[in-house]
């Protein structure tokens, strides 16, 4: 038996079946398999990260296709806002630890032409993590836009965990939500 946390998705290639972990609690899977047979679940491919703009926006490339991606369901502090530099550095570190490659699940395009999606670090490995969820604490949960995020339950669990652990940026003294910060500084 292998246990996976709520933050991971699990794909097992076995008679075209895939198991997706979206619950806010761990599941035990009884499925013997070899690590080399592991495949990511529900992904739009593996992409190389070419740029990290801030804590919620990256640029990825797959062959000749380059796209700017906004992480679904979160809003990181702006670059010149308190916490902005730290959020970008945290995201860069996690992406680097995953080999600068990410798995993408594209959700939609926003009004600025960016793709909005779920981003998975260390794709095609057992260390795969949902970056949208991992960033909560360094970024605000953007519940207004959770509706289309396939793993919004993981985002909600991360929000609760960040608050309980005291690492929620929105609970810091003087914290201003990025959407409010942008309104004030237009």
């Amino acid at each position: 038996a292998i246990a996976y946390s709520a933050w991971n998705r699990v794909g097992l290639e076995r008679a075209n079946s895939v198991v997706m972990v979206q619950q806010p609690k761990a599941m035990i899977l009884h499925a013997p398999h070899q690590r080399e047979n592991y495949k990511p679940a529900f992904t739009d491919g593996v992409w190389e990260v070419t740029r990290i703009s801030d804590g919620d926006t990256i640029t990825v490339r797959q062959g000749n296709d380059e796209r700017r991606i906004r992480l679904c369901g979160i809003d990181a502090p702006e670059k010149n806002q308190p916490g902005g530099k730290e959020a970008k550095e945290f995201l860069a570190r996690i992406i680097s630890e995953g080999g600068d490659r990410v798995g993408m699940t594209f959700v939609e395009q926003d009004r600025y032409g960016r793709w909005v999606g779920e981003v998975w670090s260390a794709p095609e490995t057992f260390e795969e993590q949902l970056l949208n969820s991992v960033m909560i604490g360094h970024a605000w949960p953007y519940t207004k836009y959770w509706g289309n995020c396939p793993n919004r339950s993981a985002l909600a669990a991360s929000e609760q965990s960040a608050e309980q652990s005291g690492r929620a940026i929105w609970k810091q003294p003087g914290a201003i939500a990025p959407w409010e910060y942008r309104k004030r500084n237009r």
Side-chain angles (χ1 to χ4, degrees), residues 66-84:
E66 188 168 82
R67 300 182 187 189
R68 192 159 179 204
I69 310 298
R70 174 79 157 78
L71 277 68
C72 182
I74 67 169
D75 198 1
E78 297 299 315
K79 292 177 198 174
N80 54 350
Q81 181 180 1

Side-chain angles (χ1 to χ4, degrees), residues 49-64:
V49 177
T50 59
R51 182 169 187 251
I52 300 169
S53 301
D54 58 27
D56 60 28
T57 306
I58 63 175
T59 303
V60 296
R61 179 178 41 227
Q62 186 182 66
N64 292 328

Side-chain angles (χ1 to χ4, degrees), residues 34-166:
Q34 298 293 322
R35 185 179 179 102
E36 60 269 11
N37 292 334
Y38 175 77
K39 300 284 185 202
F42 305 110
T43 185
D44 293 317
V46 176
W47 297 71
E48 175 190 357
V49 177
T50 59
R51 182 169 187 251
I52 300 169
S53 301
D54 58 27
D56 60 28
T57 306
I58 63 175
T59 303
V60 296
R61 179 178 41 227
Q62 186 182 66
N64 292 328
D65 189 1
E66 188 168 82
R67 300 182 187 189
R68 192 159 179 204
I69 310 298
R70 174 79 157 78
L71 277 68
C72 182
I74 67 169
D75 198 1
E78 297 299 315
K79 292 177 198 174
N80 54 350
Q81 181 180 1
K85 178 182 175 193
E86 294 80 5
K88 179 181 177 179
E89 289 172 353
F90 183 73
L91 180 58
R93 190 186 79 208
I94 294 170
I95 289 172
S96 176
E97 288 171 358
D100 294 320
R101 296 169 4 120
V102 295
M104 292 297 314
T105 303
F106 297 108
V107 175
E108 62 193 355
Q109 278 190 288
D110 68 11
R111 62 184 175 183
Y112 305 108
R114 296 176 299 191
W115 283 94
V116 177
E118 290 188 338
V119 181
W120 301 86
S121 70
E124 300 178 327
T125 71
F126 286 110
E127 290 78 32
E128 191 170 67
Q129 298 180 76
L130 176 59
L131 292 180
N132 309 55
S133 179
V134 172
M135 286 303 296
I136 292 181
H138 291 280
W140 270 254
Y142 213 4
T143 57
K144 178 178 178 180
Y145 296 104
W146 277 10
N148 292 332
C149 297
N151 285 287
R152 59 188 163 272
S153 61
L155 301 177
S158 290
E159 177 184 20
Q160 183 178 11
S161 174
E163 286 188 6
Q164 290 174 349
S165 69

